[in-house]
Amino acid sequence: LEILVTILNVNDNSPVFKQTNLTKVVPEDTKVNATIVAREDLSASDADLDTIFYELTTTVSIFDTGSYFAIRGVHNPEIYLQKALDYEKLKLTTLVLYARDRPVGSTDTTNTATATINIFIEQADTKSPWFLPCTFINTDNSVCISSPYTGRVNMSEMSTEPLILEPGPIYAIDPDYMLNQKIVYSIVGGDTEKVFSVDADTGNLTMNKVATSPDSYLLQVMATQVNNIQKYSIVTVEIKVINKSEHPPYFKSRIYNGTVFVDLAPRSFVFQADHPSSPLMITAADDDFPNV
């Protein structure tokens, strides 16, 4: 008597990952669609030789961190970047990869394995310097616009100290604050006569010689990162040239006497007390400007 025995494979084994916990450091400037974790590092095996179905989720729920990373397909666990990174928004996240031997939603008995992937974002040198003070123009504070600097010098007078500017001294920072690259300053326009110079390290603006023209100077000052000259910003510095004031202004009379009439309408003239027909005028003079 010949007896044929057939052994049926029972789904009694769970998928197995080579590594159940991985850590990856991802530069902020990684290109979209680049591979973050290779397929061979994430593929699971199954002793039952079942087809493996993969699903990727995130454990961070503050905002949609899962939109940054995805797997290539339900049967391909390779993780890739599907959205540009921003260190200001995302510094780290934790992903969970599921491996199942049945499709999601199947009524059959399903065995599942998980692998945890810790992603740390490394800040990259993506931003040009910001001159301070500056004003953010968007809600995520990724763009900051500075206002021009202003100052003044006296005509034909040499100042030996750094010029006082508004709203403050020339100063720029690297907004990629974790890198904080060194910044140097230079004048790149608006000073053909070489009247001014800027300290490369401090940004202090000083005079090389006297200003002989009453015209204002519109200097273009550039802040550049030492490690990358293509990372730069330019700001306008307006220097007004004025005649030196030797005398304070003064009123031509110490006391002014005026006369008003009852029931006058608002904004009516006040008249001189000793000349009732002449409006009262309060005037000041300045010996620095004798013809004004």
Side-chain angles (χ1 to χ4, degrees), residues 46-218:
D46 189 339
D48 296 319
L49 303 180
D50 291 320
T51 300
I52 306 298
F53 299 84
Y54 297 95
E55 180 187 10
L56 185 67
T57 64
T58 178
T59 62
V60 179
S61 58
I62 298 177
F63 59 95
D64 188 18
T65 59
S67 64
Y68 289 92
F69 303 96
I71 55 176
R72 298 290 184 185
V74 67
H75 299 303
N76 183 355
E78 179 177 284
I79 297 176
Y80 72 99
L81 183 66
Q82 65 173 0
K83 178 181 175 182
L85 294 169
D86 185 342
Y87 185 81
E88 302 298 329
K89 295 181 179 179
L90 181 66
K91 296 178 175 61
L92 59 92
T93 188
T94 300
L95 307 175
V96 178
L97 181 65
Y98 291 88
R100 300 182 177 92
D101 55 12
R102 295 292 184 272
V104 175
S106 173
T107 58
D108 296 337
T109 301
T110 303
N111 297 308
T112 304
T114 60
T116 301
I117 303 97
N118 300 297
I119 303 290
F120 292 90
I121 310 304
E122 182 180 63
Q123 189 171 38
D125 193 4
T126 60
K127 297 183 178 70
S128 297
W130 290 347
F131 282 99
L132 299 183
C134 63
T135 303
F136 292 109
I137 62 172
N138 53 357
T139 55
D140 60 2
N141 294 346
S142 60
V143 179
C144 200
I145 302 299
S146 61
S147 299
Y149 295 93
T150 59
R152 62 183 185 180
V153 296
N154 293 323
M155 174 83 76
S156 302
E157 183 174 294
M158 180 73 173
S159 174
T160 58
E161 298 294 327
L163 301 184
I164 298 175
L165 304 176
E166 295 292 340
I170 297 172
Y171 180 63
I173 62 168
D174 179 5
D176 297 313
Y177 56 89
M178 293 298 292
L179 303 177
N180 195 26
Q181 297 291 347
K182 178 178 174 59
I183 292 174
V184 294
Y185 305 90
S186 60
I187 297 175
V188 295
D191 187 24
T192 56
E193 300 174 358
K194 305 299 182 184
V195 175
F196 304 95
S197 62
V198 65
D199 188 282
D201 295 320
T202 66
N204 285 336
L205 188 65
T206 55
M207 299 185 70
N208 297 321
K209 57 185 179 180
V210 299
T212 57
S213 170
D215 299 329
S216 295
Y217 291 84
L218 290 178

